[in-house]
Amino acid sequence: GAVVSQHPSRVICKSGTSVKIECRSLDFQATTMFWYRQFPKQSLMLMATSNEGSKATYEQGVEKDKFLINHASLTLSTLTVTSAHPEDSSFYICSARVLADVEQYFGPGTRLTVT
Amino acid sequence: QKEVEQNSGPLSVPEGAIASLNCTYSDRGSQSFFWYRQYSGKSPELIMSIYSNGDKEDGRFTAQLNKASQYVSLLIRDSQPSDSATYLCAVKQGSQGNLIFGKGTKLSVKP
């Protein structure tokens, strides 16, 4: 099956700093990548969708200036949490798919803790 | 508001039994349906996809889809303790759309 990696798997940062999370499709070219956030005991919430070479489409209520997404190539997307605050502490998961009508594969997730 | 509904559980079954997980969705035009398994602290793992009415079997897993009733289910035969996880139902909006996830059903398989 398709493999998606994320780095780092876990990060702790201080309030006010920025954190970058990388998402890579290892054995396929991902035309679309998705970023999700999951708080404890809650379901996945889609934050944004990005297509290679285009600006990301953010879901309602997600601040695009705070969560910067770059999808510069068909195998790499990055999410930068700028000026992180404790309420941004969460499990961030990326997902990728090749074409619009096939399955979506998830990375292992990044657990962000902001102190 | 397009929704995907699941019973949050927990659903508890003895080892070796059949676990039945259910999901309903609101968008009648949905065409693609997925079941993901998520272990605690891990990301979701795709276990089944189904696109047409009826049953689809893969090993111990069977997905069932009834578009008229807007209902999709997952059966796990010969349940094992390692099947204990949260099962997420996901529905894709149209052919170009994003996945809409249910809140998940927590399954506990008791030895």
Side-chain angles (χ1 to χ4, degrees):
Chain A
V3 180
V4 178
S5 70
Q6 270 184 254
H7 178 80
S9 58
R10 187 179 295 267
V11 59
I12 300 172
C13 71
K14 293 188 175 181
S15 186
T17 62
S18 296
V19 173
K20 180 185 282 189
I21 302 170
E22 289 187 352
C23 176
R24 294 182 184 272
S25 56
L26 298 186
D27 52 0
F28 66 101
Q29 293 187 320
T31 51
T32 305
M33 285 186 169
F34 305 85
W35 287 95
Y36 293 84
R37 180 168 53 183
Q38 187 175 37
F39 292 106
K41 300 189 187 302
Q42 294 188 25
S43 191
L44 296 164
M45 295 300 297
L46 179 65
M47 299 175 67
T49 302
S50 72
N51 292 296
E52 185 262 339
S54 328
K55 288 185 178 180
T57 301
Y58 290 81
E59 294 299 299
Q60 191 172 10
V62 177
E63 300 173 59
K64 64 180 180 181
D65 295 330
K66 181 173 180 63
F67 298 99
L68 302 179
I69 292 172
N70 184 284
H71 191 165
S73 77
L74 286 172
T75 59
L76 173 65
S77 177
T78 60
L79 168 67
T80 302
V81 183
T82 62
S83 187
H85 289 96
E87 58 265 31
D88 298 323
S89 298
S90 188
F91 191 40
Y92 291 86
I93 311 171
C94 75
S95 178
R97 71 183 183 201
V98 176
L99 298 170
D101 58 348
V102 297
E103 291 89 351
Q104 198 169 308
Y105 297 93
F106 285 84
T110 297
R111 190 160 302 280
L112 170 64
T113 303
V114 184
T115 61
Chain B
Q1 179 79 6
K2 296 181 173 61
E3 295 182 344
V4 177
E5 299 286 343
Q6 291 181 258
N7 188 324
S8 62
L11 172 66
S12 184
V13 301
E15 184 174 357
I18 296 175
S20 178
L21 304 162
N22 304 313
C23 172
T24 59
Y25 57 95
S26 63
D27 182 9
R28 188 170 287 279
S30 299
Q31 298 294 321
S32 308
F33 308 86
F34 306 90
W35 283 99
Y36 287 84
R37 176 177 60 199
Q38 187 175 25
Y39 292 112
S40 180
K42 303 294 184 183
S43 69
E45 172 192 9
L46 178 66
I47 54 173
M48 288 288 285
S49 59
I50 187 165
Y51 306 102
S52 55
N53 281 328
D55 295 359
K56 178 181 178 182
E57 186 175 320
D58 184 0
R60 295 186 296 113
F61 298 98
T62 299
Q64 299 175 317
L65 175 62
N66 185 324
K67 290 185 180 180
S69 300
Q70 295 174 238
Y71 176 91
V72 57
S73 66
L74 179 70
L75 300 177
I76 305 174
R77 289 182 300 282
D78 188 23
S79 295
Q80 301 297 309
S82 58
D83 295 326
S84 298
T86 296
Y87 289 80
L88 301 171
C89 173
V91 176
K92 189 169 181 180
Q93 296 176 283
S95 62
Q96 302 285 328
N98 301 324
L99 291 179
I100 305 297
F101 283 89
K103 293 187 176 181
T105 298
K106 187 172 183 177
L107 172 66
S108 178
V109 181
K110 303 295 187 185

